Every structure is written in structure tokens, then in C-alpha cells.
Amino acid sequence: MFSGAPWIFPYPQGMKKIVMYMRDRFNNTPVVITENGVAENDNLNPSTTDTLNDIHRMNYLHSYLNSLANAIREGADVRGYFVWSLLDSFEWLHGYKLRFGLHYVNYTNLQRTPKLSATRYKQLMYNFHIQRDTHTAQN
């Protein structure tokens, strides 16, 4: 799995492991995951088309959300999840060289364009919501 950020080492299984640890260690205290995402390095000069077709981010999110869904199915009280980040933005150590956003930002004119991952994330959240409601209704 690809990450343009030097401090991110993708390990989707870790999502379930840490959530289950929190469940077991802290009496299933409700959890909200506030940042989870992957970057691409803008220094590699990808074309705008390649940047918008961010299959690696889509795969990253899919694998992490599957892991999170497994933890929830096993009883973890997860109340929220926020992908990092909605928009490409400034990173403290790397400036505008790393792009984390679900939406591409043209830094010249500030035009925002949804990436493939934005569309897929919307589908994943919709499906997750339906599955959660179905699972809750059955219990």
C-alpha cells in the first residue's frame, strides 16, 4: 500500500486491533476516530488526471473501513469516523507537497475537484450506514 507521507506506514489490521484494545481496556468507552488517511507526494509531479484517479487512497480507505466495521461487529462502540482530509491542505512539516484530500485543490485558483476517493468514500459511508441499521434492527 502506498503512502507519500514518510510517517505513515499503512497497516489496516491495526484499526481493528487498536479499537478492540480500547474496547477491552477502557470498558468499551465510546470512540470517535478523528484522523485517518493517506497522502500522495506532489513532488512526484503526477498529472491532474492521475491525482484525481487516486485508487491508492480509495483502497486505503476501503481496507481501513473494513477493519473498523469488523471491530464494530464485534461490539466496539465507535460513534464516528473522520477521514483526513476533506481538502488538500498545508501540512506543517511538508507545506503543500503532500496531498491528503478527498478533493483536489488547485493552489493557483483554489478550485476544488472531487477525487475518485471522494465518490467512493460517499458510497462506503452509505453502505456502512445501511449495514449498521440492518445489524442494529436484527439485534
Side-chain angles (χ1 to χ4, degrees), residues 52 86-88 102-107 109-115:
L52 293 176
L86 174 64
L87 301 171
D88 291 332
L102 298 179
H103 290 75
Y104 171 80
V105 176
N106 179 323
Y107 296 131
N109 63 16
L110 300 181
Q111 179 181 356
R112 299 172 182 123
T113 307
K115 297 176 187 175

Side-chain angles (χ1 to χ4, degrees), residues 90-137:
F90 181 83
E91 288 295 318
W92 289 108
L93 294 177
H94 299 278
Y96 292 106
K97 296 175 185 170
L98 295 178
R99 292 183 176 268
F100 278 89
L102 298 179
H103 290 75
Y104 171 80
V105 176
N106 179 323
Y107 296 131
T108 304
N109 63 16
L110 300 181
Q111 179 181 356
R112 299 172 182 123
T113 307
K115 297 176 187 175
L116 178 63
S117 59
T119 303
R120 183 64 180 137
Y121 181 67
K122 180 180 176 181
Q123 293 168 344
L124 286 169
M125 289 295 99
Y126 176 77
N127 291 340
F128 183 77
H129 176 72
I130 297 300
Q131 289 176 7
R132 187 199 66 205
D133 289 351
T134 302
H135 178 70
T136 304

Side-chain angles (χ1 to χ4, degrees), residues 18-37:
I18 191 65
V19 169
M20 297 308 285
Y21 171 81
M22 297 295 290
R23 180 197 72 173
D24 297 341
R25 177 73 171 89
F26 298 103
N27 198 27
N28 208 17
T29 299
V31 173
V32 175
I33 296 160
T34 59
E35 284 190 19
N36 180 238

